[in-house]
Amino acid sequence: MAARQATAPTAGPATDKHPVWDWRPGGFGLYIHWPFCRAKCPYCDFNSHVRGKIDQARWRAALLQELAHAAAETPGRWLDSIFFGGGTPSLMDSDTVAELIATACRFWHPVADIEITLEANPTSVEAARFRAFAEAGVTRVSVGIQALRDDDLHRLGRQHSAAEARRAYDIARNCFARVSFDLIYARQGQTLAAWRQELAEALSMGADHLSLYQLTIEPGTAFAARLSAGGLRGLPTPDLGADLFEATQEMCGAASMPAYEVSNHARPDQESRHNLVYWRQGDWVGIGPGAHGRVTRDSARHATETHHDPETWLHGVARDGHAQVHHAAVTAEDQRDEAVLMGLRLTEGLDLTRLRALAAARPDGDHGLNGSALAELRDAGMIWQTDTRLGTTASGRLVLDHIAAALLA
């Protein structure tokens, strides 16, 4: 990534009330949420909505208005990444994407090789729009393939076939310098042998980046309702889930696509820079319905969130120039928790230097981690530690939530 100039803005001094959490090592990104989909997938708990008609011009104007408000709160930043998420951002007009990119790059200082990602669904209609998105300035596309088997795509409620997914991927490879795609495993009735075969096909497609997620049943989703009613039979046992995860790590590692995060694999230098902003505890602005942000201002790190409902969000922007419903300083304890929960997901581990800097600003001077748990987990071979970093071993990643809870107890 291009180096930032020496005149890049710096965080202010610590105050008695709020310790400084230096965001700069993690970078600065912009997240733009497009909340609309053609259909709601039964496993999805994201802020996505189905609408019969969308006023693209009105949405473009509102997003630009909220972008201007966010930029006024974070002047002079060097912009590392822009991420269009959703929902299904590939349903946006390419002119809207182009104007948002150009405006963001006027408000902030884009690094020379800024990463600009757009999530897309692989229906044939959307795939035909890839060239327009590339011309709009998108440099990286993330394709929501989810499965390479038609029966599983049907169970997952997807609107495309496996053949359409492969065609969309081929078009993406011809349009964008960098391509990623998602797959969901641990599906109903899926065996270890079947997943190995499917993953081998995915690896043979030559993507730069793969996001490989185990199917989880989230509260409030259609899948959760089916499960409580006795449906969704054939979900894997915990032991099979662990075997599927270990096979994923082994096969991707052998294919020179090791995990740099629990569920994300990349070829060298092809990691998602935008997601690394989150995991490395950088700052990011979030605009659009339900978007979250973390922004350092006035010597404090602030959490932001906008209205979830699309229509309520539109009304808020029209009335106030933004639709924030939450904007509050993040406590030292919450910053510690976020840093641990995010940092331990990375293969590179948690940056202890930054954690210690935060701890030094706390009245008790405590490093914030449970010392006895730290020693026990290290002795058990679940974590590794150096002077500057703390991370999980291969066996520790299988029980990541347990490790984080123990260290924060």
Side-chain angles (χ1 to χ4, degrees):
M1 183 172 291
R4 296 169 182 79
Q5 296 181 11
T7 55
T10 59
T15 66
D16 291 338
K17 188 174 181 182
H18 300 300
V20 167
W21 178 258
D22 190 352
W23 54 272
R24 288 167 298 174
F28 178 65
L30 167 65
Y31 175 78
I32 301 172
H33 190 79
W34 182 258
F36 303 115
C37 288
R38 286 199 174 126
K40 181 76 171 180
C41 295
Y43 57 84
C44 177
D45 69 337
F46 294 162
N47 187 34
S48 58
H49 305 264
V50 178
R51 297 288 187 269
K53 185 177 180 181
I54 301 167
D55 186 339
Q56 294 268 352
R58 186 183 181 192
W59 275 89
R60 179 188 307 135
L63 286 167
L64 288 166
Q65 192 171 359
E66 189 164 63
L67 179 60
H69 177 270
E73 293 189 327
T74 53
R77 299 289 185 98
W78 290 92
L79 184 61
D80 294 292
S81 65
I82 301 173
F83 194 101
F84 292 87
T88 307
S90 50
L91 294 176
M92 299 174 73
D93 282 349
S94 59
D95 289 346
T96 299
V97 172
E99 192 166 354
L100 285 164
I101 292 171
T103 302
C105 291
R106 287 197 302 270
F107 285 148
W108 295 294
H109 308 297
V111 297
D113 59 347
I114 184 172
E115 174 189 272
I116 303 175
T117 302
L118 182 136
E119 292 182 331
N121 274 343
T123 60
S124 56
V125 172
E126 290 161 32
R129 297 156 57 92
F130 281 175
R131 179 62 66 187
F133 289 128
E135 292 172 353
V138 174
T139 63
R140 178 178 181 271
V141 69
S142 178
V143 187
I145 289 178
Q146 312 306 3
L148 291 169
R149 302 292 180 265
D150 284 335
D151 54 348
D152 286 314
L153 286 169
H154 177 73
R155 291 190 190 98
L156 291 171
R158 303 297 289 169
Q159 301 296 300
H160 62 272
S161 67
E164 284 179 306
R166 295 184 188 97
R167 284 196 298 271
Y169 172 79
D170 289 341
I171 294 171
R173 282 259 61 132
N174 290 326
C175 293
F176 300 96
R178 300 173 62 199
V179 179
S180 173
F181 66 85
D182 299 358
L183 291 177
I184 295 173
Y185 65 98
R187 306 187 299 253
Q188 290 174 265
Q190 189 176 44
T191 64
L192 180 58
W195 171 237
R196 281 185 171 276
Q197 183 181 44
E198 187 173 356
L199 181 56
E201 180 181 351
L203 290 167
S204 74
M205 292 167 67
D208 310 300
H209 183 285
L210 290 175
S211 296
L212 305 172
Y213 303 107
Q214 288 204 36
L215 177 64
T216 55
I217 310 303
E218 301 291 349
T221 62
F223 268 8
R226 292 181 199 174
L227 185 64
S228 65
L232 290 187
R233 297 178 181 177
L235 291 175
T237 64
D239 284 347
L240 177 55
D243 290 343
L244 292 165
F245 178 80
E246 290 178 340
T248 301
Q249 310 313 302
E250 173 250 310
M251 291 182 64
C252 289
S256 299
M257 291 192 73
Y260 69 98
E261 188 270 346
V262 172
S263 300
N264 287 273
H265 302 254
R267 301 192 188 282
D269 299 320
Q270 295 301 313
E271 298 86 353
S272 169
R273 299 178 199 166
H274 186 84
N275 285 338
L276 283 172
V277 170
Y278 302 152
W279 295 322
R280 289 175 175 167
Q281 291 292 285
D283 269 16
W284 72 93
V285 162
I287 69 168
H292 292 251
R294 290 290 185 275
V295 179
T296 303
R297 294 179 59 240
D298 302 325
S299 302
R301 185 168 166 85
H302 293 258
T304 66
E305 183 179 355
T306 62
H307 280 291
H308 280 233
D309 176 72
E311 287 71 30
T312 304
W313 179 86
L314 276 175
H315 292 314
V317 174
R319 183 183 64 245
D320 303 320
H322 65 87
Q324 286 184 3
V325 292
H326 178 75
H327 193 301
V330 184
T331 67
E333 288 73 19
D334 285 344
Q335 290 183 54
R336 174 206 64 170
D337 293 356
E338 289 183 1
V340 171
L341 291 169
M342 294 292 103
L344 289 181
R345 295 187 64 87
L346 291 169
T347 301
E348 70 183 31
L350 167 68
D351 184 342
L352 288 176
T353 301
R354 295 179 72 199
L355 194 64
R356 287 173 183 137
L358 175 64
R362 294 169 50 164
D364 56 10
D366 191 338
H367 58 54
L369 300 179
N370 185 316
S372 60
L374 194 65
E376 291 173 7
L377 291 165
R378 189 170 51 238
D379 291 344
M382 307 297 279
I383 61 173
W384 54 265
Q385 185 176 356
T386 68
D387 289 341
T388 59
R389 307 203 77 85
L390 172 69
T392 55
T393 63
S395 56
R397 280 190 287 276
L398 291 168
V399 288
L400 183 58
D401 290 344
H402 167 76
I403 289 174
L407 292 175
L408 295 173

